[in-house]
């Protein structure tokens, strides 16, 4: 449950960072935050990784992947 709390806390920070931008949080699943990123804002991803990694318990390793969908077959 601690991991769930951390993910939700960090998602709130990401949501605040994205306020007023074209990108948004699409959904959260387990320990993942899935983003709907606008192409013009792709350069923000490294900043968002830093925001997500820095928690009240220290800095965590964060991995990212990008794609045009969430693994949905066409």
């Amino acid at each position: 449950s601690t991991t769930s709390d951390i993910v939700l806390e960090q998602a709130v920070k990401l949501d605040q960072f994205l306020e007023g931008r074209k990108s948004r949080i699409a959904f959260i699943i387990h320990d993942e935050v899935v983003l709907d990123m606008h192409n013009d804002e792709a350069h923000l991803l490294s900043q968002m990784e830093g925001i997500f990694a820095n928690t009240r318990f220290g800095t965590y390793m964060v991995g990212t992947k990008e794609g045009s969908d969430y693994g949905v077959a066409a």
Side-chain angles (χ1 to χ4, degrees), residues 17-36:
F17 177 78
L18 291 172
E19 194 167 316
R21 301 183 196 269
K22 298 174 187 174
S23 301
R24 62 183 179 84
I25 293 176
F27 54 92
I28 300 167
I29 183 167
H30 302 294
D31 61 349
E32 299 176 12
V33 176
V34 179
L35 303 168
D36 184 7

Side-chain angles (χ1 to χ4, degrees), residues 3 5 7 12 16 21 27 31 34 40 42-43 57 65:
T3 300
D5 290 348
V7 170
V12 168
Q16 291 169 343
R21 301 183 196 269
F27 54 92
D31 61 349
V34 179
D40 295 343
H43 66 281
F57 295 109
K65 290 185 181 182

